[in-house]
Amino acid sequence: FLVFYLLRYSLSGTHRFAGEGFAKVAYLSILFTHMILAAAILPMVLRLLYLAFTSRFEAHRRLARWTFPVWLYVSVSGLLVYLLLYHVYGYV
């Protein structure tokens, strides 16, 4: 997904959110938490893969309890950001 996002960004640049007031505050809150957690998820997933390949399943299980909800939030919030920016409020 990151490759396609960077390709789209390089071709079309940035877009400004057209909503105002509470909608803009909500959008930016979702966007910033999405960005921070998306950056944090990569090392978590890499660590999970390492733990699985080295058969350290108890440590894998403990980390996966935190990683899965973060990954789920990043996935859903990314879709929500996309819908709010391009389909609900539009962009400038």
Side-chain angles (χ1 to χ4, degrees):
F1 177 80
L2 181 61
V3 172
F4 289 115
Y5 173 78
L6 293 174
L7 179 63
R8 190 214 48 89
Y9 176 77
S10 67
L11 294 173
S12 66
T14 60
H15 300 103
R16 296 182 71 101
F17 183 70
E20 297 176 357
F22 177 75
K24 188 166 191 167
V25 171
Y27 169 79
L28 291 175
S29 298
I30 295 168
L31 177 63
F32 288 136
T33 57
H34 170 81
M35 290 174 16
I36 290 167
L37 291 175
I41 199 74
L42 180 61
M44 294 171 81
V45 168
L46 293 175
R47 178 73 176 162
L48 281 174
L49 290 171
Y50 170 76
L51 291 172
F53 285 129
T54 58
S55 299
R56 296 173 56 193
F57 298 116
E58 186 58 37
H60 179 275
R61 190 176 301 115
R62 283 194 308 269
L63 181 59
R65 286 185 187 138
W66 290 94
T67 305
F68 179 71
V70 172
W71 172 82
L72 191 61
Y73 177 80
V74 168
S75 299
V76 171
S77 64
L79 180 60
L80 188 57
V81 164
Y82 169 78
L83 291 173
L84 288 172
L85 181 61
Y86 292 105
H87 296 286
V88 176
Y89 287 97
Y91 57 90
V92 182

